[in-house]
Amino acid sequence: MKVRKNLEAVFLAASVMAGFAAYAIAEVPAARIAAPVAVNAVAAPVVDENMAVVTVTHKRLTAAEKLALN
C-alpha cells in the first residue's frame, strides 16, 4: 500500500537514477585537434557599402524625468 501511495516519488527517483546512469555509461568522444593557424594571420574586416547605419542621439533623462515616467 505504501508503494501505491508514493508511486510518484518512486517514479521520479527511478527516472533520476536512469538519467544519471545514461550519463555514466555514455562514451566520451575523442578530442578533436584543430588545424594549426598561422600566427600572423589577420582577419580582413567585412565592408558593405549597402549596410544601413542608424545613429540615435538624445540627451539622457534626469532623475526627476525618470520618476515622472513611472
Side-chain angles (χ1 to χ4, degrees), residues 4-66:
R4 281 184 168 174
K5 185 177 179 183
N6 298 321
L7 193 58
E8 183 180 3
V10 171
F11 173 75
L12 289 176
S15 62
V16 167
M17 289 173 54
F20 282 129
Y23 280 108
I25 63 172
E27 290 185 28
V28 177
R32 295 183 182 181
I33 300 174
V37 179
V39 176
N40 58 359
V42 177
V46 178
V47 178
D48 185 10
E49 291 82 19
N50 298 328
M51 183 182 299
V53 177
V54 178
T55 305
V56 179
T57 57
H58 195 276
K59 66 174 189 161
R60 299 194 89 164
L61 295 176
T62 63
E65 291 171 333
K66 287 180 186 178

